[in-house]
Amino acid sequence: MADHFLSKTRVSPEDFVEAGGTPVLERFDALRTLLVDRAGPEVADLFAEPLISRGNDTAPPTVSWYTATAGDARPLSSLAPAERSRAETYLSDHLRPLRALTEQPENADLAFGALSTLGRDDVLMVGDRPMIVNWGLMPGCRGANVSTRPDHFAETLGRYLTLTPSGTRMPGALMGEPVIPPPAAGVAAATPAVAAPVATAAPVQHRISRLAWVPLLILLLLAGGFLAWLLMPGSRLFHEAGPRAVTEEATLQAARDLNDSLRARRATLQSALDGAMCRADGMLVLPDGLTPEGLTPPALGVKPAQRATIAPDALLPSSPARVVVPDVSEPGAETDLLALITARTVLVLAGSADGRGATGSGFVVGPGLIVTNQHVIEGALSDGGQILVTGGSLAEPQVATVIKSDGPLMQAGGDFALLRIADTGMTGFDVHVPQDSLKLSGVVAAGYPGDVLASDINFAALKAGNLDAVPDLTVTEGIVNTEQQIGPQTHVLMHSAALSSGNSGGPLVDMCGRLVGVNTFVRAGRLQNRGFALTTADMMAFLQGTGAVPRVDSAPCAPVVQRAEAGARKAVAE
């Protein structure tokens, strides 16, 4: 039980939302387990822990709310604009996984119950994280959840999460039924005025032949038959539900394979440590004769070369700023890996018609052509939505149009979007479609994670309207742990480069500066999150017929590094 008290709410028995005939609040443990498994602990931590007091004949029921997070609780509405904006962005990013749960019959009632709250002010700020109280409750609901009250959801947590009509199962306008708004306060229903009788001539009576109704009857029968055909599964309106492109079983098997690869990695590291030897000059040499950085050590007493080729699967990755790669924007020129990635990675901002926004990452694949994830720009696909792209290599933010998209991942097997911007001056990544396995190869992930943007001064300035402000790019390094096929046409690389919400759509790059994957989602672990990137082979299949033709390089990577100067090493040591 969490031990930090937040608030206490007096309710009525009719306010409890139910799932499977049981109040959702009594299934808190099941909800938390579901969220931790499917969305990660940070999403589960959004929901405060309830303690229910059922009351008696003289006292109404109450719910006390607790959290494991220490700190003063402040209403979200009381925060300063900048802090409130960061909290709302965090809520939008971390509530998004619940959208998929509402579309799963076995989890929908529990997810909808969590998204049902009493009112607008049920989000508290505890420390630097938002916390939802009064969830699992809705005024006078009698067990129902927000899927039956779209207006109530729109006024509460719907401000941070958009649910698709198919996912919400909401009635009324979303389901094609007429919605009759209540009369405005103070406006009486219109009643016809009764006029004084006026003497008129008796109207002439015309009889209509029964045969005159036959054409109308035929038209009604034809229209009914046509409508019935439209509503049949497999028709133009409702396509037959096919199998999910990516199943939970496949992702679970991918997680098992990841665990196996981590065990093998641990054994490799232990073996290298056991057999490592320290030379007389202080250089550590592993059993394979290389240094931990993958360099071939020079003979004793011989000064090492300033530049050297390293093993692509070195135990310790080299700093991207020291890795030398060709600069394809200028023939024969060279640059460092960090500069190359920075010049080709962009921030993607997607806004929906109702004012909601999402951020993600993207990268250049050709003049004016940007690839990102479909789920990053999903909210902007409807009428009135807008997509902006910005980055260090762009003079100003660019309005983007969608050329092609494929998603969502679980249903379509892909999660790609190709955007077009007016600025065609950026150079695209070379694409590596490997012939051999990439396991243990060093990789670098780049993007704009939301937890970093939340404290980025430039991002705050950009949101405030300063179009010259560009947030800092975040890069992390790791290795490819394993490769997995999780659907008929879906292949992923699982890697150890740190990712979080906002990295979606960003590039995964090898130590030769070539694109090897598109970062798409994260599997949360107890000690570390594991990133999943869709492969470049899947991306190239998506790009077919779009006019985007990035240069493909299938040769194995032979990274080149600039050795650190002795003086620099000494300074670091001191």
Side-chain angles (χ1 to χ4, degrees):
M1 177 73 190
D3 53 2
H4 294 282
F5 174 77
L6 292 174
S7 65
K8 186 175 182 178
T9 306
R10 181 178 298 178
V11 296
S12 71
E14 290 79 17
D15 294 341
F16 288 89
V17 175
E18 295 182 354
T22 303
V24 172
L25 294 182
E26 294 181 5
R27 299 184 61 186
F28 172 74
D29 290 339
L31 173 66
R32 181 168 179 85
T33 300
L34 174 67
L35 294 180
V36 169
D37 179 58
R38 301 294 180 85
E42 288 189 350
V43 175
D45 289 343
L46 282 176
F47 296 89
E49 184 171 353
L51 179 62
I52 307 171
S53 174
R54 287 296 183 182
N56 51 43
D57 292 339
T58 60
T62 61
V63 181
S64 299
W65 299 96
Y66 294 83
T67 178
T69 303
D72 295 333
R74 299 167 292 157
L76 183 66
S77 57
S78 69
L79 303 181
E83 186 179 9
R84 180 174 179 176
S85 177
R86 290 194 295 269
E88 290 175 340
T89 299
Y90 185 92
L91 278 170
S92 296
D93 289 343
H94 288 74
L95 284 175
R96 190 177 299 125
L98 272 77
R99 180 189 301 156
L101 296 178
T102 63
E103 298 172 356
Q104 300 169 1
E106 68 275 19
N107 297 317
D109 286 344
L110 196 57
F112 276 126
L115 294 172
S116 304
T117 59
L118 275 178
R120 290 177 56 91
D121 296 323
D122 291 334
V123 179
L124 304 178
M125 198 70 173
V126 183
D128 61 348
R129 293 293 174 89
M131 181 76 59
I132 301 172
V133 298
N134 296 335
W135 60 267
L137 301 167
M138 196 165 60
C141 65
R142 298 182 181 274
N145 57 49
V146 288
S147 68
T148 65
R149 292 191 186 176
D151 292 341
H152 182 81
F153 179 71
E155 288 295 318
T156 53
L157 293 184
R159 293 176 291 168
Y160 318 110
L161 175 67
T162 301
L163 295 178
T164 59
S166 60
T168 56
R169 304 179 299 169
M170 292 182 178
L174 291 183
M175 295 297 290
E177 302 168 6
V179 175
I180 304 175
V187 179
T191 57
V194 180
V198 178
T200 59
V204 179
Q205 300 291 329
H206 296 281
R207 295 182 61 85
I208 301 177
S209 170
R210 293 183 179 180
L211 293 177
W213 295 99
V214 173
L216 178 61
L217 180 61
I218 293 174
L219 285 175
L220 289 174
L221 290 174
L222 290 174
F226 181 70
L227 180 61
W229 172 76
L230 282 178
L231 295 175
M232 290 175 59
S235 70
R236 291 179 178 270
L237 203 57
F238 291 99
H239 299 289
E240 291 183 350
R244 290 164 65 95
V246 178
T247 64
E248 290 295 331
E249 291 76 11
T251 55
L252 180 60
Q253 184 58 48
R256 293 193 185 105
D257 291 344
L258 174 60
N259 290 336
D260 291 342
S261 71
L262 292 176
R263 295 186 188 98
R265 177 66 170 172
R266 181 179 63 182
T268 299
L269 293 174
Q270 187 63 53
S271 176
L273 180 62
D274 293 342
M277 297 181 60
C278 188
R279 301 195 324 180
D281 58 0
M283 185 173 292
L284 185 66
V285 180
L286 302 179
D288 60 3
L290 302 177
T291 68
E293 296 83 8
L295 292 164
T296 301
L300 285 171
V302 177
K303 182 179 179 180
Q306 189 61 34
R307 293 171 56 151
T309 300
I310 62 173
D313 57 352
L315 291 185
L316 295 180
S318 297
S319 167
R322 289 176 49 209
V323 178
V324 180
V325 294
D327 186 354
V328 296
S329 61
E330 298 182 23
E334 290 182 336
T335 186
D336 63 76
L337 179 59
L338 181 59
L340 181 141
I341 294 173
T342 302
R344 291 160 173 76
T345 307
V346 297
L347 170 65
V348 179
L349 303 103
S352 59
D354 59 2
R356 303 179 190 280
T359 63
S361 305
F363 55 90
V364 185
V365 292
L369 298 174
I370 308 293
V371 165
T372 186
N373 283 144
Q374 184 268 351
H375 76 258
V376 170
I377 54 99
E378 180 181 11
L381 294 177
S382 58
D383 291 341
Q386 187 179 48
I387 304 170
L388 292 178
V389 172
T390 188
S393 295
L394 289 170
E396 60 183 3
Q398 301 279 305
V399 175
T401 57
V402 180
I403 299 176
K404 181 182 180 181
S405 65
D406 181 28
L409 177 66
M410 300 299 285
Q411 283 71 38
D415 192 354
F416 299 106
L418 179 64
L419 313 178
R420 186 188 301 280
I421 60 176
D423 191 321
T424 59
M426 298 175 69
T427 303
F429 277 105
D430 281 359
V431 175
H432 179 52
V433 180
Q435 302 298 320
D436 301 316
S437 173
L438 292 177
K439 283 186 180 180
L440 301 183
S441 296
V443 288
V444 176
Y448 296 88
D451 49 0
V452 177
L453 289 181
S455 59
D456 190 293
I457 296 177
N458 290 326
F459 183 62
L462 179 64
K463 291 197 297 181
N466 182 1
L467 300 183
D468 293 329
V470 179
D472 290 331
L473 181 69
T474 298
V475 295
T476 56
E477 57 190 10
I479 63 168
V480 175
N481 296 113
T482 188
E483 301 154 301
Q484 183 65 240
Q485 181 173 354
I486 61 173
Q489 305 294 328
T490 311
H491 306 79
V492 294
L493 303 177
M494 286 168 279
H495 60 86
S496 61
L499 300 179
S500 66
S501 177
N503 276 112
S504 294
L508 186 70
V509 182
D510 68 7
M511 301 306 286
C512 290
R514 305 171 302 181
L515 183 78
V516 295
V518 182
N519 291 314
T520 302
F521 64 98
V522 175
R523 173 72 69 174
R526 289 184 177 274
L527 299 179
Q528 184 179 4
N529 295 341
R530 291 286 157 177
F532 286 67
L534 293 171
T535 64
T536 48
D538 287 4
M539 184 196 75
M540 293 300 293
F542 164 77
L543 292 178
Q544 287 184 1
T546 63
V549 284
R551 193 166 75 94
V552 176
D553 180 2
S554 298
C557 180
V560 176
V561 297
Q562 193 85 9
R563 289 186 186 268
E565 295 289 345
R569 290 197 299 269
K570 181 178 179 181
V572 172
E574 292 175 351

